[in-house]
Amino acid sequence: MAIMRILIIEDDREAASYLVKAFREAGHVADHAADGEDGLAMASDGPYDVLVVDRMLPKKDGLSVI
């Protein structure tokens, strides 16, 4: 199995925590951003394989991030 680097952009801390934990337990690298601006900056700076993006985010909505 290939290890994926995943960025979760989610403002709901409980949901984000659950997703980060699940992906890490599956053997992947999972990072978290709590708003659209931080998520976009992290996505631009790092080579992520997958972005999991909430649509309704503070500062910049999910569709704008994508």
Side-chain angles (χ1 to χ4, degrees), residues 12-51:
D12 180 321
R13 292 193 186 278
E14 187 175 339
S17 175
Y18 176 79
L19 289 168
V20 167
K21 181 180 178 193
F23 285 125
R24 287 180 179 169
E25 286 178 357
H28 303 294
V29 175
D31 297 325
H32 170 245
D35 64 62
E37 285 183 0
D38 288 344
L40 183 57
M42 289 174 71
S44 297
D45 289 341
Y48 289 98
D49 298 301
V50 176
L51 302 178

Side-chain angles (χ1 to χ4, degrees), residues 44-61:
S44 297
D45 289 341
Y48 289 98
D49 298 301
V50 176
L51 302 178
V52 178
V53 183
D54 183 8
R55 187 166 181 217
M56 296 175 61
L57 293 166
K59 298 186 182 179
K60 185 179 284 285
D61 68 272

